[in-house]
Amino acid sequence: MKLETEEILRVAVSDAAPKAMPAAWRQTATAIAATLAVILAVYWETVASTVALWVNSETYTHGFFILPLSLYLVWRQRHELARIAPRPDLLGFFVLGGAGFAWITGAAAQVQVLEQYAVTAMIPGAVLALAGRRAALAMAFPLAFLLLAVPFGEAFLPPLMSWTADFTVGALRLTGVPVYREGNLFAIPTGTWSVVEACSGLRYLIASVTVGALFAYLNYQRAWKRAVFIALSIAVPIAANFVRAYMIVMIGHVSNMKLAVGVDHFIYGWVFFGVVIGLLFWLGSFGRDPAPQAASEVRPVAQGRPASSAAIAAAAFGCVAIASVWSIYAAQLDTGPAQVRLATPAGASGWLSDPTSDMSWRPRYAGAAASTFQVYRKGERTVALYVGYYRDQRQGAELVNFMNRVDTKPAWINVGTDVRSEDLGAPVELRQTHLRGRGERLLVWEWYRIGRNELSNPFLAKALLARDKLLGRGDESAAIILAAPYEARPELAAESLRQFAREMRPSLDAALAAVELRKPQ
């Protein structure tokens, strides 16, 4: 009886083992590799920008490990994949088309991260198009895991910094330490602290999400467990960073600023983060699900015949054509550089330019095709005006950029930013920033002008720029920045800015309308 049972099991496993599939997969895998090689070559500039961020930023160094890990995870699914007949799938071509449209939208708006996500999404799109839905589903996590290689997160820096400052100041006050706060800068009896980019916890968050997603996939089989653990991988490092910031300030406070103010500041932070994340994974290991049995032991051979070599070749050609057409179209949208001349707005309604002004502040807006800066006076009121005119935008020379700022550290520190609406002859939504310098304070109003739209939302501004560029309208746009000094009452500076903007609006409009463009010979 025992021998008979063993023979039945041996025959069943033998019958279930795939015979023709490996050859079919070799063809499909070769087609996938060749297709992806061509697509990545077509979008090499986007690929190179991704790798450059891996190299130059410690925050994104983990990107080098994502592809090898994804390939390993695919290899772990080899038994499951061997039981699937790979066949081209029309859905994959739609995914490639959508990714291509996302890429050209990012290219038109100069949103590099959108371009990088789009090119990365072309990888699962090509796999789906050439191998089919069942194969793509079997590789769903390894393919999705590739998205974590894209350097993303800078958009979260301002809120993370603000939340960290809120928690730290609140915790200090709760424990009896008096605090005076201006924006992300705060002072306690023993010293002054500032929540900067390195204090935001973004590095902790990215590292935790990357490792947490991998841990959840390898250790849990139930979708809800994976979702819960990934959610904890997001929430725990954010909360841990709040506590870390408070602990560092308290260490500095109780040691009279002898500890946690130098290199040890970062050492304490990483040690604390390591302990917290290690504890999270240790607790998560108690809910580990048993690994499923190998597919070769329990699942029947998949029904269906693999695609022919001609079908696979045609699908590969279609993938390359659909993915590449967007790059060709983007080249047609490039109008080429032009020399631009922007005149300084003439004084109006009693506002006169003051070339003798000693105002040291200047905004840091890089890559403008033309710009002008002038200080104006009217009676006792003083207002500085900066106008940056942009066209033919590209990386490093774009209107909306995280590096374009009105606070130029260390001379000028941002102590508070908010968004407000003002009637400046027309309704305008603008960003208001309070700056503190060496014995000086400035109130700054900043907004974008894109066509007839005046706004401060950077995401909406990018969307408008992409729309105009894709419709052939060009990407001409401007940054308008006003600044007024004040001592103790910022509302007086706000009144100066409001009056200046209303009375100088016709002159500003005329200067922008009269921009001269000359193509280089």
Side-chain angles (χ1 to χ4, degrees):
M1 183 66 182
K2 179 179 179 182
L3 291 175
E4 182 179 345
T5 302
E6 290 178 349
E7 179 64 16
I8 292 173
L9 291 174
R10 184 187 64 78
V11 171
V13 171
S14 176
D15 289 342
K19 295 181 176 64
M21 295 303 175
W25 266 109
R26 282 196 294 271
Q27 282 186 328
T28 302
T30 301
I32 291 173
T35 300
L36 292 179
V38 174
I39 291 175
L40 296 180
V42 169
Y43 293 98
W44 175 247
E45 289 188 7
T46 302
V47 175
S49 70
T50 303
V51 176
L53 286 171
W54 296 349
V55 173
N56 297 320
S57 174
E58 293 181 1
T59 303
Y60 305 117
T61 305
H62 70 282
F64 284 108
F65 303 99
I66 298 297
L67 180 58
L69 284 171
S70 294
L71 291 174
Y72 166 73
L73 294 176
V74 170
W75 180 81
R76 290 179 79 248
Q77 293 292 96
R78 64 193 183 280
H79 296 301
E80 176 75 16
L81 292 170
R83 310 197 156 269
I84 297 172
R87 298 183 62 84
D89 193 315
L90 187 62
L91 180 61
F93 298 105
F94 284 103
V95 173
L96 279 172
F101 180 75
W103 180 86
I104 199 169
T105 301
Q110 292 300 312
V111 182
Q112 190 178 70
V113 68
L114 180 56
E115 297 177 58
Q116 293 166 344
Y117 270 120
V119 172
T120 305
M122 290 180 185
I123 298 175
V127 172
L128 174 59
L130 292 169
R133 302 182 196 188
R134 293 191 61 195
L137 184 61
M139 295 184 279
F141 181 83
L143 293 174
F145 192 63
L146 290 170
L147 296 175
L148 292 177
V150 177
F152 175 71
E154 288 185 345
F156 298 128
L157 280 173
L160 286 172
M161 292 165 59
S162 179
W163 297 342
T164 302
D166 291 343
F167 180 89
T168 304
V169 169
L172 287 169
R173 287 172 176 165
L174 189 64
T175 50
V177 180
V179 185
Y180 172 74
R181 178 183 179 181
E182 283 188 313
N184 292 333
L185 184 74
F186 55 92
I188 59 178
T190 52
T192 301
W193 298 81
S194 179
V195 178
V196 297
E197 285 84 351
C199 305
S200 66
L202 180 61
R203 290 182 182 178
Y204 305 150
L205 178 59
I206 290 176
S208 175
V209 170
T210 302
V211 180
L214 184 62
F215 180 91
Y217 175 72
L218 294 175
N219 289 276
Y220 304 127
Q221 303 303 317
R222 295 180 176 88
W224 70 267
K225 282 189 175 182
R226 290 174 174 174
V228 168
F229 192 85
I230 291 174
L232 289 173
S233 298
I234 296 173
V236 168
I238 293 176
N241 187 62
F242 294 165
V243 176
R244 177 200 67 84
Y246 167 70
M247 289 174 56
I248 286 176
V249 173
M250 283 301 296
I251 290 172
H253 177 62
V254 299
S255 66
N256 200 25
M257 302 299 283
K258 293 179 181 178
L259 297 175
V261 294
V263 176
D264 55 340
H265 178 112
F266 300 100
I267 294 175
Y268 296 153
W270 276 109
V271 169
F272 178 73
F273 171 75
V275 171
V276 170
I277 296 303
L279 183 61
L280 172 64
F281 291 158
W282 178 69
L283 292 174
S285 67
F286 288 101
R288 180 181 301 166
D289 292 329
Q293 289 180 290
S296 59
E297 297 176 1
V298 297
R299 298 189 181 180
V301 177
Q303 299 298 315
R305 297 175 58 186
S308 66
S309 299
I312 294 174
F317 178 81
C319 288
V320 170
I322 292 173
S324 301
V325 68
W326 306 99
S327 178
I328 298 171
Y329 181 47
Q332 305 304 312
L333 296 176
D334 189 0
T335 59
Q339 296 174 350
V340 179
R341 183 179 179 275
L342 173 65
T344 300
S349 302
W351 290 98
L352 301 175
S353 62
D354 181 10
T356 64
S357 171
D358 60 353
M359 184 179 288
S360 62
W361 169 82
R362 297 289 188 282
R364 185 178 64 195
Y365 265 65
S371 64
T372 180
F373 179 87
Q374 184 61 59
V375 177
Y376 297 82
R377 292 188 187 278
K378 181 178 180 179
E380 298 298 319
R381 300 183 186 274
T382 300
V383 173
L385 167 66
Y386 171 86
V387 181
Y389 183 85
Y390 287 80
R391 77 180 308 274
D392 303 316
Q393 298 180 44
R394 58 196 181 280
Q395 290 298 324
E398 56 206 302
L399 172 66
V400 184
N401 186 304
F402 178 75
M403 300 303 295
N404 289 346
R405 308 173 68 93
V406 297
D407 54 321
T408 51
K409 299 176 182 179
W412 295 94
I413 298 175
N414 183 341
V415 294
T417 298
D418 62 277
V419 176
R420 59 187 295 162
S421 295
E422 287 285 345
D423 182 2
L424 305 180
V428 176
E429 181 191 76
L430 52 85
R431 279 193 303 276
Q432 176 176 271
T433 304
H434 295 259
L435 298 180
R436 190 178 77 174
R438 297 182 179 91
E440 301 176 89
R441 292 178 182 270
L442 285 178
L443 185 68
V444 181
W445 285 2
E446 170 190 17
W447 69 94
Y448 309 123
R449 179 177 290 189
I450 302 172
R452 297 181 180 179
N453 300 285
E454 293 185 303
L455 65 157
S456 64
N457 186 304
F459 302 105
L460 181 56
K462 285 289 192 183
L464 291 175
L465 286 169
R467 180 203 64 184
D468 291 347
K469 189 75 176 285
L470 292 175
L471 293 177
R473 301 173 184 171
D475 60 359
E476 289 81 3
S477 51
I480 302 173
I481 305 174
L482 310 179
Y486 71 94
E487 293 182 359
R489 299 180 62 188
E491 62 271 16
L492 296 180
E495 181 55 37
S496 295
L497 296 177
R498 191 176 299 111
Q499 181 180 351
F500 176 88
R502 291 172 177 173
E503 296 176 346
M504 285 287 292
R505 187 180 186 88
S507 181
L508 175 60
D509 292 345
L512 287 172
V515 167
E516 296 180 10
L517 303 178
R518 291 179 296 176
K519 289 287 184 179
Q521 301 298 323

